[in-house]
Amino acid sequence: GELYVKGVLFGMLYLDSRKALKGLPQHRKIMLQVLADQTALAIENAILQREMKEKKKLKQQMRAAKAAQLRLFPEPNFSHARFDMAYHYAAAQQIGGDYLTFLPLSETRFLFAIGDVVGKGLSAGLVVMTVHGGLYSEISHQVELPAMMRSLDRLVHEYAEGKVFVTFFIGILDVEKMTLQYANAGHNPPLLHRRARNEWLELRAAGVPLGLNAEAERTAENIPLLPEDLIMFYTDGITEAHDDKRKQFGLEGLKKVLSNWSVAHHRGLETLNGLLHAVIERVRHFTNNKPQEDDTTLMAVRLK
């Protein structure tokens, strides 16, 4: 008898006898096929149960990995006498490839970093954790940005063997000197909205993504800051979100939301969390509420 389930041949049921048979009667053939069908169903059920156990175990492992990854992220809000910080993070899959951190280095100096691993899923999440561990290791013994970036470059290159790379932006805010020192490794340049002059600046700096070339030259830039300056860090899950015609939300879409918020905030009507919410809602509206294709990460810093 042939063992079929949903058109898939599982195997053959073979019966033998010492007696010479000229052929099985029809009712015996039917019984044999029924037995074959029942055997095939039993085999399929056993396979499905094993697959369900494996999927359940994998889901548990993924949940544990996601929880571990989320523990890397800072508290969602931070308030200081000189500035406020807030961020939003949402992974497109269970494990995200975006990275973000905020860390006080002293009472007057604060480190910000944002990154995006090229790739998705568990492998991207592992690279995120590798970058995080490397960054905190570097911070513990030095805070020179070029040297820090070179160490992260080598770490990612060795870990991913040149097959995965990370766009990365890091900045150190000094609220006493009112400066931002930063380095960029191929990441989307953060937007600086200077309310005092009503101008936009993009925090660009030369540098290829981490992991592409372990010997890449790394440099840092410095920019003076003014009261009421607003800095928006983001990943391309925001600017590359697209509508049905493949038009991207882009920097212009982001600037428009920031401009509207700036006016409302000056009237005392909006908070940084309100700004993040406004960006996310505007992106959702722009994409007609399609499920997000990429991780979306935003971090806003506003000087008082």
Side-chain angles (χ1 to χ4, degrees), residues 80-124:
H80 183 272
R82 305 296 294 274
F83 72 95
D84 289 322
M85 181 280 293
Y87 77 85
H88 164 90
Y89 167 77
Q93 299 181 6
Q94 207 167 17
I95 305 296
D98 278 5
Y99 175 69
L100 177 146
T101 197
F102 164 76
L103 182 69
L105 301 176
S106 70
E107 291 183 1
T108 59
R109 300 174 79 243
F110 302 84
L111 182 143
F112 301 84
I114 189 168
D116 186 358
V117 180
V118 176
K120 294 183 175 68
L122 189 57
S123 59

Side-chain angles (χ1 to χ4, degrees), residues 226-237:
L226 299 175
E228 295 192 303
D229 276 358
L230 172 70
I231 308 170
M232 178 65 80
F233 305 85
Y234 59 94
T235 58
D236 58 15

Side-chain angles (χ1 to χ4, degrees), residues 56 81 106 110 124 130 147-148 155 211 217 231 252:
K56 185 178 179 181
S106 70
F110 302 84
T130 300
M148 196 182 295
L155 181 68
E217 183 66 25
I231 308 170
E252 292 308 311

